[in-house]
Amino acid sequence: MHKRFGVIALALLVSACSKEAPPPATHLDIVDAEQHPEQWFSHGRTYSEQRFSPLKQITRDNVDELGLAWSFDLGTSRGIETTPLVVNGVMYATATWNVVYALDARTGQPLWRFDPEVDRSKAADLCCDVVNRGVAYWQGKIYTGTIDGRLIALDAKTGEKLWDVVTVDQSKPYTITGAPRVVKGKVLIGNGGAEFGVRGYISAYDADSGKQVWRFYTVPGNPQEGHESEIMAEAAKTWTGRWWQYGGGGTVWDSMAYDPKLDLLYFGVGNGSPWNQAIRSPEGGDNLFLSSIVAVKPDTGEYVWHYQTTPGETWDYTATQHLVLAELTIEGAKRKVIMQAPKNGFFYVIDRETGELISANNYVPVNWATHIDPVTGRPVEVPEARWGKRAPYLQLPGPLGAHNWHPTAFSPQTGLVYIPVLETPYVYGDDENFQQSDVGWNVGANPGLGSLPSDKAQYLALRAAVKGRLLAWNPVTQKPAWKVEHNSPWNGGVLATAGGLVFQGNADAKLVAYDAATGERLWDHFAQTGIVAPPISYELDGEQYIAVASGWGGAFTLIYGGLFPAESAPGVGRLLVFKLGGKAPLSELASRAATKPSLPPQEATAEVIAEGQALYNASCLVCHGDHAVSSGLLPDLRWSPLLGLKDAWNSVVLGGARAGQGMPVFASDLDEAESEAIRQYVISEARLPFEDRFEGE
Ligand code: CA
């Protein structure tokens, strides 16, 4: 890094002597991030992915003067998860359907817009809405992954497409929602799809040409076809049965980090596919590299070490959560660590040179394991939790995790990791009707068991148990420093700044600033729609800015629309940019009060409605919501004009009439009587809306 910095300094000196303009600043990128706190060059700002801004103009004392500098309408009311980048005064951000925007970071004036024109039917292959978490920048180019599995390079100045490569077998339900990273001229990208039956991997592409350089599979394929590498042959020893027929999972859908000194690239690996290990690998086994943190050489993809957080994963306990590199003093010794708060509820501090576990402790209440054995590094499981073919088990955390994709932040000033935490209990139980060929979401777990209870007392007890908080965690002592309870489990990613502040958006539609040391709430701004994306900070002309994208969405909101505060309701997502003394107005979002049509008569018997509910839970719930309550991201079926039109309803469910908008075709799973039973169930939900049942509670 110093060598490179020296080259730039020399270039500046030469240009000063010859009275030419300094070299174009586009030659700076993430490699220079430590020397350029005013930029936000990459997803986690630096290769350490700390999401810590060294800027300190905005402080605990003046944060109450923070006001809107500008806003920009992203033209979509579906999920917005982007981390904007800011490079040399230009902001790069993504919206739904992989549209990329470049804006003047001073004013919000749009410079260019790129639409990769993704096939809308791909929405059927996404677990968690048509989201994207951001782009990468490298040497004057912008890189973006698309939900149809492409990796695209754009000219950062013009938005012109430079190359476009397909990174997946597009006949399979692979998707990309994560941000690429760039290391040593290679663009790194994984994919998602472990709820639909795919085999995970991460690939590296040449940043200039788009040519594939290497690929690292995270789970073994069919041994009879020969393993791609020795490490895959080793991994295959930890699997049983015919796992490859199910894909196996292990998708690398989000987190990466890089240590330039050790020259190690780290990435997090997702859950098994299907979830239920009793189907996927019936005789058990650790199932490497599911739910692991893996270290490889970035030039070749050669395996170096791994640490598996959840051996024999069977609960959707991904280890794809945000990875953070830091130097910590532990028992008097300086340690280079990698840290993660994965879905399984334990916070891990790992030696990033060797993969050795330094410490682990649960950061939320958990009941699937008692602790992590410090000698073996393995969780000590509670036997009932390994549900498989056994009795269902009410478990903490559930499949949404104790922490989902929303990035954590680490402040070297406070030494604390700030985690957007969820507490979402869930009943895991076998799906006796599992068939590998089933359309869409297919995980081998009975989704009806996780449905919100219609019994009032049970519902209120569950709602009280579902929590969300911002947790400040001390990774040295493995204990909480402070916590702030939220009104809802699903909230935004986190930013820490050298001004002693932590910023987080939430389901109350507010961006909030907290004292990083104490958690005291110091400032907030009402965004008019929920926020899940993480804030960033940058500086231009001596002024520090805080930026965040508003916009409500993601898995939790699709499934449990009935659990959220009204303020979170999806409105048009926007980039919101703040500075001290900012006075820009935020226009009111148009009211979107639903017009409820007159309801069709309920003609079916209770038996048919019950059958319809079971079918709805198996095929419809994960997108259209528990009890058919939509969060507003997708059409609320209860108020659909099709609800009273049996033939039109069947043409959508069985005939593919809305396939172009991402609605799957269920003709191979359901017959006409079953489609009709689902319609009758939705009519019953419309006549007694779930959200009205416990009104005033
Ligand atoms: Ca998953």
Side-chain angles (χ1 to χ4, degrees), residues 399-412:
L400 288 162
H403 167 217
N404 207 282
W405 64 270
H406 317 79
T408 53
F410 171 76
S411 167

Side-chain angles (χ1 to χ4, degrees), residues 127 194-195 253 271 275 316 318 343 399:
C127 67
E195 274 64 49
W253 56 264
N271 55 282
W275 293 355
D316 192 15
T318 64
K343 276 190 184 177

